């Protein structure tokens, strides 16, 4: 083959590749430079062994204790925090969702402000919110409920507003033409269109909130996290084992039920 | 009776939607508005129940000005006017009966309708309306499970349940096939004749207009260029006005895209 | 109007299902409120506290920035390394979970089960366990983030692998490629962009997670929440919060732009 007809490998791609490669290399040099190398405690092996054996021989007695403060009550508390927190946010985020939807107001900046507000709430970690609520209403489940309720507005509001942006305005026009009041138009023409999406997203958020609720107790905001952190501090690994097992089972069951309901709604 | 007095409409971008229109439609008439795409048919129809605002002049219904009506008066005026849309505008996820009952909400308080507490008479009215368009057996079916023609009949039932004195239909058959077109137009005609409801329909096709109308109004660039009984609406007359004959049903394939374009304005 | 023909009217569906659902939801909420001692009374009683805390948070103590920049950089480092570990481990997991890569249900179901299991454990719990093993510092945080992101990246990637075009797979089989060649030439080109996008997505999540891991002693900016809240220094708390939000928003923005360019 003559070299003239041969296509030349494009130079631009090669340069781009090198730029990416060097950037990544620098990033990792920087990242690794900050990690303490001396790292491991000598006891690490011993403790891991204790943890593993603890997890595989869970403290079954802890599942139910007649005098209270047992696994079942802890899990129930966690579930209750997640349910209430999710409901509060699903309710409170509706006005924000309409605020942040592009098709609900004539001024574009208005929806932009709403979207910014929601992303602000979304980035505010729920654990930090919980810490602040503990200062306000005292330690316990209620602080956890408030933290989840407020934090979830960010994500639910965003998902809900996307649902609102997809509505068909035809039915609203038809309702308006029959002489309906604005609220009636909203209820009969807009709500039936967005409700299935709202419910589905709320269930999805509930799955996430259940996971969050199981760690809230670590900082004192109620739920199963509190006995877990106590068990860890007292190195009661078989109790840690049963609590972990309890969380995994509960989360899995809730995921399955919620997934089934979400499939049925759509 | 619907009366247009010197009605004009100029869009914000300067386009003349309607130009000095003076028209009187008597009770019980079956009027068909024809014209090319963009002639102002949809604007004409929607200004009657004020889904579109006019910029000057006045529209009166049974002697009462709808142009000046505000708030409650406007809602009560709209309650007496049923409207049928090209895309049916049903709430697809709701049942048929709920869609028909939504025509009754103007009669009741917000709280009562939101709780779904429609009186027994309203439910009977809705079922009667569905029976009149031969679709009562679908009352509790979800609307998105119906065919296009069936959905349009549900929206006619909604206008009937409203106990409207006037029915406005904006391109009611533009998204339907010829067979269902006939059924829907027959329904509209029957309602007009049996109940004496004044009916104003926008149509693209001159042949269907001639078949059903008692009177035809032709629009061009927002102006009334023809207004008379069906017998006078001959092909020759329209060719003279528009410079070419108006479309008939056979041209449908070409026209669906254009009419969708018009209604989206 | 004439009477409706009674026989034609279908029976209205029973409304009991709706009532039942409604009552069930009310009961769930009431039970949850009871269980968590949530009352309006307590909320209203907490209001004065709320305002006093907010009042002390404003204005933030800007001078505190200098003290926490190092911890913030640590947080980002932890997220970078944790994500990398997760991204590497996720590859074999993703391949072994995809039903079009491994035909045997005896392989991909257990692997998927393991992935689901990993995703049920919150990263903060993993971090607490690793702190018990390795002691305080960023190392347990990095491992926790690594395992946590393995779950996310592997799941998203195996779904992408299952969605790929079959044609190239068959043609590679037809030219007689071995298993590794088969994956390199028919699978990798099709899912590489998705994989990188999921890694970036998981990085966004990990930055947020890394910011709170310090609460259990696993390094990063989170340690400073404990320190400042303990001394009721709310003006410093708000500085940390604002700084974290800023970093998260910037990283989200960059990552989103990169992902848009990829797909």
């Amino acid at each position: 083959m003559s070299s003239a007809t041969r296509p030349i490998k494009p130079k631009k791609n090669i340069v781009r590749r090198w730029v990416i490669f060097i950037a990544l290399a620098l990033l990792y040099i920087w990242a690794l430079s900050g990690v303490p190398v001396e790292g491991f405690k000598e006891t690490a092996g011993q403790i891991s062994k204790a943890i593993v054996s603890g997890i595989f021989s869970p403290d079954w007695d802890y599942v139910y204790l007649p005098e209270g403060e047992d696994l079942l009550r802890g899990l129930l508390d966690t579930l209750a925090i997640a349910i209430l927190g999710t409901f509060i946010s699903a309710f409170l985020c509706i006005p924000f969702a309409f605020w942040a939807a592009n098709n609900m107001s004539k001024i574009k900046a208005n929806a932009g402000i709403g979207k910014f507000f929601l992303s602000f709430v979304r980035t505010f970690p729920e654990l930090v919110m919980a810490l602040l609520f503990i200062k306000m209403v005292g330690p316990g489940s209620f602080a956890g409920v408030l933290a989840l309720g407020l934090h979830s507005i960010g994500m639910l509001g965003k998902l809900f507003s996307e649902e609102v942006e997809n509505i068909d305005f035809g039915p609203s026009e038809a309702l308006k033409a029959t002489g309906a009041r604005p609220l009636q138009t909203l209820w009969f023409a807009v709500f039936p269109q967005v409700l299935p999406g709202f419910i589905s997203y709320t269930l999805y958020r509930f799955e996430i909130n259940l996971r969050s609720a199981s760690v809230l107790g670590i900082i004192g905001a109620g739920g199963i996290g509190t006995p877990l952190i106590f068990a860890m501090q007292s190195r009661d690994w078989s109790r840690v084992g049963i609590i972990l097992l309890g969380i995994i089972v509960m989360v899995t069951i809730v995921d399955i039920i919620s997934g089934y309901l979400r499939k049925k709604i759509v | 009776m619907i009366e247009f007095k010197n009605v004009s409409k100029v869009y914000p971008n300067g386009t003349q939607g309607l130009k000095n229109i003076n028209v009187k439609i008597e009770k019980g008439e079956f009027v068909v508005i024809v014209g090319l795409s963009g002639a102002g048919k949809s604007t004409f129809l929607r200004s009657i129940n004020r889904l579109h605002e006019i910029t000057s002049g006045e529209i009166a219904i049974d002697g009462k000005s709808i142009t000046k009506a505000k708030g409650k008066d406007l809602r009560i005026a709209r309650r007496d006017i049923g409207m049928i849309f090209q895309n049916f505008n049903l709430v697809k996820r709701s049942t048929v009966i709920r869609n028909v009952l939504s025509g009754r909400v103007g009669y009741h308080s917000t709280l009562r309708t939101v709780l779904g507490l429609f009186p027994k008479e309203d439910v009977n009215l809705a079922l009667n309306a569905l029976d009149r368009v031969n679709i009562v057996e679908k009352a509790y079916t979800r609307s998105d499970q119906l065919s296009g023609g069936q959905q349009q009949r549900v929206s006619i039932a909604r206008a009937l349940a409203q106990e409207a004195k006037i029915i406005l239909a904006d391109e009611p058959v533009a998204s339907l096939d010829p067979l269902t077109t006939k059924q829907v137009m027959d329904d509209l005609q029957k309602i007009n004749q049996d109940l004496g409801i004044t009916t104003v329909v926008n149509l693209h096709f001159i042949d269907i207009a001639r078949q059903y109308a008692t009177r035809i109004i032709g629009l061009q660039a927002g102006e009334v260029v023809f207004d008379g009984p069906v017998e006078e609406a001959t092909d020759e007359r329209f060719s003279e006005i528009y410079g070419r004959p108006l479309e008939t049903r056979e041209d449908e394939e070409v026209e669906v895209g254009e009419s969708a374009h018009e209604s989206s304005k | 109007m004439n009477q409706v023909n009674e026989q034609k009217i279908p029976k209205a569906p029973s409304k009991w299902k709706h009532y039942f659902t409604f009552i069930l939801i009310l009961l769930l909420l009431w039970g949850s409120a009871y269980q968590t001692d949530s009352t309006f009374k307590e909320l209203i009683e907490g209001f004065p506290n709320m305002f006093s805390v907010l009042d002390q948070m404003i204005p933030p103590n800007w001078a505190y920035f200098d003290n926490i920049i190092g911890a913030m950089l640590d947080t980002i480092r932890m997220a970078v390394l944790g994500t990398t570990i997760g991204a590497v481990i996720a590859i074999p997991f993703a391949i072994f979970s995809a039903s079009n890569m491994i035909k045997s249900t005896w392989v991909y179901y257990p692997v998927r089960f393991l992935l689901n299991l990993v995703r049920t454990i919150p990263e903060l719990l993993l971090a607490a366990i690793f702190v018990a093993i390795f002691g305080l510092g960023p190392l347990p945080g990095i491992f926790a983030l690594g395992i946590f992101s393995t779950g996310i990246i592997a799941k998203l990637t195996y779904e992408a692998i299952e969605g790929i075009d079959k044609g190239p797979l068959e043609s590679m089989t037809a030219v007689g490629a071995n298993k590794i060649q088969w994956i390199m030439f028919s699978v990798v080109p099709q899912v590489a962009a998705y994989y990188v996008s999921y890694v970036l997505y998981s990085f966004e999540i990990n930055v947020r997670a890394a910011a709170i891991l310090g609460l259990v002693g696993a390094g990063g900016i989170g340690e400073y929440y404990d320190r400042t809240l303990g001394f009721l220094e709310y003006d410093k708390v708000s500085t940390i919060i604002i700084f974290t939000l800023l970093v998260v928003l910037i990283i989200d923005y960059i990552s989103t732009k990169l992902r848009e360019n990829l797909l």
Side-chain angles (χ1 to χ4, degrees):
Chain A
M1 209 193 290
S2 79
S3 62
T5 56
R6 234 183 179 162
I8 303 158
K9 210 173 178 185
K11 250 206 179 111
K12 208 180 145 200
N13 275 343
I14 305 172
V15 175
R16 217 180 100 171
R17 250 177 225 191
W18 274 102
V19 168
I20 292 173
F21 179 75
I22 291 170
L24 275 177
L26 286 175
L27 179 70
Y28 280 112
I29 290 170
W30 171 76
L32 286 167
S33 68
V35 181
V37 200
E38 75 281 2
F40 298 161
K41 283 196 296 186
E42 303 100 59
T43 48
Q46 229 176 311
I47 298 174
S48 327
K49 222 183 272 170
I51 293 178
V52 171
S53 71
I55 287 172
F56 282 99
S57 58
D59 176 9
W60 293 108
D61 294 338
Y62 182 65
V63 172
Y64 178 78
L65 299 172
E67 67 268 26
E69 292 294 308
D70 57 10
L71 178 68
L72 285 180
R73 261 163 270 199
L75 290 179
L76 192 65
D77 207 24
T78 309
L79 200 64
I81 293 172
I83 290 174
L84 211 55
T86 310
F87 182 80
I88 289 174
S89 62
F91 203 71
L92 289 182
C93 80
I94 293 174
F96 291 105
F98 281 92
W99 179 23
N102 283 330
N103 56 351
M104 280 292 136
S105 104
K106 292 207 173 76
I107 312 150
K108 231 183 164 185
N110 195 2
I113 297 169
K115 280 184 207 298
F116 180 78
F117 174 79
L118 288 176
S119 80
F120 178 82
V121 174
R122 218 165 39 243
T123 29
F124 202 120
E126 65 243 63
L127 274 167
V128 177
M129 264 182 202
L131 282 170
L132 291 173
F133 277 120
I134 286 173
K135 298 289 171 190
M136 293 164 186
V137 297
S141 310
F142 190 41
V145 169
L146 292 175
L148 287 186
L150 198 59
H151 176 78
S152 315
I153 290 177
M155 189 185 107
L156 275 184
K158 176 176 183 261
L159 293 172
F160 280 23
S161 77
E162 284 165 2
E163 194 69 23
V164 173
E165 283 173 358
N166 284 330
I167 62 167
D168 167 15
F169 275 108
S172 307
E173 200 183 23
L175 258 286
K176 200 171 144 195
T178 67
R181 295 175 185 81
L183 258 178
Q184 290 172 325
T185 308
L186 201 67
W187 184 261
F188 281 89
V190 178
F191 250 66
Q193 292 186 55
V194 294
L195 199 62
F198 281 14
I199 294 175
S200 169
Y201 288 135
T202 304
L203 284 168
Y204 172 59
R205 183 67 217 187
F206 174 58
E207 295 170 27
I208 297 175
N209 276 349
L210 189 64
R211 289 167 167 83
S212 303
S214 61
V215 294
L216 282 172
I218 291 179
I219 52 153
I224 192 71
T226 311
L228 180 68
I229 202 78
F230 285 153
M232 277 186 183
Q233 278 161 1
S234 58
R235 298 179 183 276
D236 186 351
W237 297 117
S238 54
R239 179 161 291 186
V240 172
I242 190 74
I243 294 176
L244 274 183
L245 197 66
I247 292 174
I248 290 171
V249 169
M250 175 178 70
V251 169
T252 308
I253 292 174
V254 167
D255 276 9
I256 291 170
I257 295 174
S258 159
Y260 168 78
L261 287 176
R262 281 198 280 148
K263 229 176 243 165
K264 228 181 114 179
I265 286 163
V266 184
Chain B
M1 190 179 75
I2 309 166
E3 203 177 357
F4 280 67
K5 295 176 207 159
N6 301 320
V7 171
S8 292
K9 156 117 190 167
V10 182
Y11 281 99
N13 64 10
T15 320
Q16 185 97 35
L18 297 174
K19 205 166 164 188
N20 199 27
I21 290 192
N22 285 288
V23 167
K24 221 183 208 178
I25 295 169
E26 298 296 337
K27 187 174 166 21
E29 276 192 282
F30 194 114
V31 180
V32 172
I33 318 286
V34 294
L36 302 169
S37 290
K41 302 195 294 282
S42 197
T43 314
F44 180 92
L45 205 67
R46 278 156 194 256
S47 62
I48 297 175
N49 62 357
R50 265 185 62 191
L51 285 183
H52 281 184
E53 300 290 343
I54 54 175
T55 37
S56 67
E58 190 175 22
I59 297 171
I61 288 157
D62 292 335
K64 257 192 243 160
S65 167
I66 192 165
T67 315
K68 288 183 187 135
K70 278 199 192 86
K72 197 178 173 206
D73 290 338
L74 177 61
R75 285 203 307 270
I76 288 175
R78 279 177 173 163
R79 206 164 74 180
D80 289 339
I81 308 173
M83 185 145 189
I84 290 152
F85 301 83
Q86 177 184 343
N87 299 316
F88 329 132
N89 287 359
L90 299 180
V91 182
K92 296 202 179 61
R93 286 184 161 276
S94 296
T95 56
V96 165
I97 186 108
R98 197 172 161 82
N99 268 299
V100 179
L101 279 171
S102 75
R104 299 293 304 168
V105 298
Y107 288 91
H108 306 296
S109 76
T110 307
L111 186 68
R112 181 166 189 173
T113 49
V114 163
L115 292 176
L117 301 172
F118 289 98
K120 191 103 186 48
E121 303 89 75
D122 278 19
V123 178
N124 276 333
L125 205 60
L127 289 169
N128 265 316
L130 283 170
D131 194 34
R132 190 172 278 279
V133 291
N134 293 317
I135 203 166
V136 72
E137 71 281 357
K138 300 278 188 195
Y140 297 99
T141 313
R142 248 170 68 159
S143 312
D144 53 6
Q145 287 167 4
L146 303 185
S147 68
Q150 288 173 323
Q151 289 194 34
Q152 195 59 297
R153 270 138 72 193
V154 173
S155 79
I156 294 174
R158 174 168 62 192
L160 283 176
Q162 218 176 309
E163 294 185 301
K165 300 190 184 79
I166 299 168
I167 286 182
L168 309 175
D170 191 10
E171 301 279 1
V173 293
S175 12
L176 302 177
D177 60 61
L179 189 69
T180 38
T181 292
K182 187 178 177 325
Q183 289 170 342
V184 165
M185 289 308 295
D186 283 350
D187 278 339
L188 281 175
Q189 188 177 45
K190 202 161 149 273
I191 288 158
N192 169 255
Q193 286 167 356
D194 292 359
L195 306 175
I197 297 176
T198 314
T199 308
V200 187
V201 185
N202 279 353
L203 282 179
H204 233 77
F205 309 115
I206 189 68
D207 51 342
I208 303 175
R210 281 203 199 96
Q211 205 177 329
Y212 291 97
T214 57
R215 172 181 169 191
I216 290 179
I217 295 178
L219 289 180
Q220 191 181 27
E223 275 185 286
V224 175
V225 287
F226 177 90
D227 185 355
V230 181
E231 300 77 50
E232 288 175 25
T234 55
D235 278 346
E236 294 74 41
R237 190 72 197 278
F238 276 101
S239 300
E240 208 178 289
I241 294 168
Y242 292 107
R244 61 164 165 124
L246 283 177
E247 301 92 88
T248 55
R249 189 78 218 194
E250 281 77 59
D251 306 319
E252 184 200 14
E253 259 71 77
V254 198
E255 280 308 321
V256 172
E258 254 182 278
S259 58
H261 171 73
E262 188 185 28
S263 74
S264 69
K265 264 195 299 204
Chain C
M1 236 181 240
N2 54 336
Q3 200 53 46
V4 189
N5 184 350
E6 290 289 336
Q7 282 163 349
K8 276 198 289 181
I9 305 173
K11 256 186 100 146
S14 165
K15 282 198 169 149
W16 280 110
K17 210 175 124 191
H18 290 113
Y19 295 145
F20 181 73
T21 318
F22 185 68
I23 290 169
L24 193 75
I25 289 172
L26 276 188
L27 275 178
L28 261 179
L29 290 176
W30 178 79
S32 302
Y34 176 80
Q35 179 73 23
T36 55
D37 285 329
S38 303
T39 55
F40 278 108
K41 188 170 153 272
E42 215 167 316
L43 184 65
I44 289 160
E45 278 170 2
F47 261 115
N49 282 333
M50 224 173 274
F51 286 119
S52 99
V53 168
L54 285 177
D55 188 43
Q56 291 172 60
M57 285 174 86
I58 302 165
N61 182 348
W62 299 116
Y64 197 57
F65 252 119
D66 297 338
N67 301 40
I68 53 176
I69 283 184
M72 183 53 86
L73 292 179
D74 269 350
T75 308
I76 300 173
R77 281 194 186 102
M78 284 162 59
V80 169
L81 295 175
T83 311
T84 311
I85 294 175
V88 173
I89 304 178
I91 294 173
F93 273 99
I95 291 172
F96 283 106
S97 317
S99 59
N100 55 348
M101 296 289 106
I102 305 291
K103 303 283 178 220
S104 162
T105 50
W106 290 104
V107 176
Y108 68 78
Y109 273 122
V111 178
R112 276 185 206 182
F113 178 75
L114 198 67
L115 284 180
N116 280 333
L117 207 69
V118 167
R119 281 186 303 113
T120 56
I121 308 174
E123 70 272 12
L124 204 66
L125 278 191
L126 289 173
I129 294 172
F130 285 127
V131 167
I133 297 175
F134 301 116
L136 301 174
L139 212 56
I142 293 171
F143 289 147
L145 293 176
I147 292 185
F148 182 67
S149 36
T150 303
I152 300 176
I153 299 172
K155 171 160 196 273
L156 292 171
T157 308
Y158 97 69
E159 283 169 354
I161 293 177
E162 291 196 332
I164 63 174
D165 180 15
K166 264 190 189 162
L169 297 182
E170 283 175 353
S171 62
M172 278 316 285
T173 313
V175 299
N178 68 27
K179 202 78 185 176
I180 302 286
Q181 292 165 331
W182 188 70
I183 288 174
M184 283 308 289
F185 286 89
S186 62
V187 181
V188 171
Q190 292 194 62
V191 295
Y194 290 101
Y195 170 75
V196 176
S197 158
Y198 298 147
V199 171
L200 284 170
Y201 169 68
S202 145
F203 177 62
E204 290 171 38
I205 297 177
N206 278 347
V207 172
R208 286 160 206 236
I212 51 161
L213 288 184
L215 289 170
V216 293
I221 191 97
E223 287 170 9
Y224 286 81
Y225 285 117
D226 244 3
R227 228 173 272 181
T228 49
L229 278 169
F231 292 112
L232 305 178
E233 296 168 320
Y234 293 112
D235 54 340
K236 290 183 182 172
V237 175
S238 56
T239 310
I240 304 175
I241 291 173
I242 291 170
F243 194 16
T244 313
L245 288 178
L246 218 60
V247 168
V248 167
L249 285 177
I250 290 170
I251 287 181
D252 271 12
Y253 179 77
I254 297 171
S255 169
T256 312
K257 283 284 162 224
L258 285 177
R259 278 161 57 196
E260 274 170 12
N261 272 330
L262 273 170
L263 297 179

